[in-house]
Amino acid sequence: MPPALPFILSTLHDTDPAKFRQYLRVSPRTFDQLVEAVEGDRKFQNNARNEQMPVTYQVAIVLYRFGHYGNAVSLDKVASWAGVGKGTVNEVTRRVLTAFLRKSFRDAALGMPTAEEKEEAKQWVEEHSCHAWREGWCMVDGTLVPLYHRPYWFGESYFDRKCRYSLNFQASSDLL
């Protein structure tokens, strides 16, 4: 079976955003913003004879891996889906996480919304709920990202209420 990754990035990205989101758990627009935010990171630069795979592929592999759990996230499954080796999946994950954890990435990817983005959100709220909520709303959401196995350092700290090891992410937003 041919790898799905090239098809997703070359075809679904532009023609079927819902399917794209199903695989990578982000919209094509958000995916492009993530790639742009990490593209210049030194983790993606090398002086070897063989170049690294494109940053878009690396970010997609990590998003696919983080967006699945159980058997779907095994190194064999992810490697087969992406058309790369198991060692490559581990290396790519390490590179992308290192880039995501840098302050420069957080500053670029997690900024406050612009006036245009706020207005777009207000219009969406008004169209999809009630007029009274247009001028302000608050959102808090959290999600658990399951880990394949118990982390070596402080492993019990990662044990969640669903009796598995995971990372807990929470985001809040106020739009006024």
Side-chain angles (χ1 to χ4, degrees):
M1 175 188 321
L5 180 58
F7 174 74
I8 291 164
L9 293 179
S10 66
T11 304
L12 295 184
H13 180 277
D14 299 324
T15 62
D16 196 343
K19 281 269 197 229
F20 183 91
R21 186 182 193 107
Q22 186 177 0
Y23 283 105
L24 301 184
R25 305 290 196 245
V26 295
S27 69
R29 178 179 175 213
T30 301
F31 176 77
D32 293 341
Q33 290 170 339
L34 287 172
V35 170
E36 185 179 323
V38 298
E39 219 160 14
D41 192 278
R42 66 182 177 267
K43 274 297 190 184
F44 302 106
Q45 315 295 322
N46 67 11
N47 294 324
R49 271 189 298 179
N50 299 327
E51 292 184 22
Q52 290 184 21
M53 70 174 70
V55 176
T56 54
Y57 277 55
Q58 295 185 52
V59 171
I61 289 169
V62 171
L63 291 177
Y64 178 85
R65 188 175 184 190
F66 288 172
H68 295 80
Y69 61 94
N71 291 341
V73 78
S74 72
L75 287 177
D76 284 330
K77 295 281 186 179
V78 176
S80 177
W81 174 83
V84 298
K86 292 188 296 187
T88 302
V89 172
N90 271 338
E91 182 63 22
V92 162
T93 302
R94 187 183 60 74
R95 272 190 214 128
V96 172
L97 277 179
T98 300
F100 280 2
L101 292 172
R102 293 195 202 281
K103 185 178 181 334
S104 58
F105 171 79
R106 291 192 313 269
D107 291 345
L110 303 175
M112 295 301 293
T114 64
E116 292 170 353
E117 291 170 331
K118 285 183 181 181
E119 182 57 35
E120 185 180 314
K122 289 179 181 185
Q123 287 176 357
W124 186 92
V125 168
E126 186 174 17
E127 291 170 8
H128 291 87
S129 60
C130 69
H131 176 72
W133 290 355
R134 175 184 175 24
E135 290 307 316
W137 52 276
C138 175
M139 180 234 14
V140 176
D141 193 12
T143 189
L144 295 173
V145 177
L147 300 172
Y148 181 68
H149 57 79
R150 178 186 183 272
Y152 181 78
W153 296 103
F154 309 105
E156 291 307 311
S157 302
Y158 295 90
F159 198 71
D160 66 23
R161 63 184 170 78
K162 296 184 176 184
C163 298
R164 61 183 181 198
Y165 295 99
S166 66
L167 296 175
N168 187 0
F169 290 93
Q170 185 172 14
S172 66
S173 175
D174 295 324
L175 177 66
L176 300 173

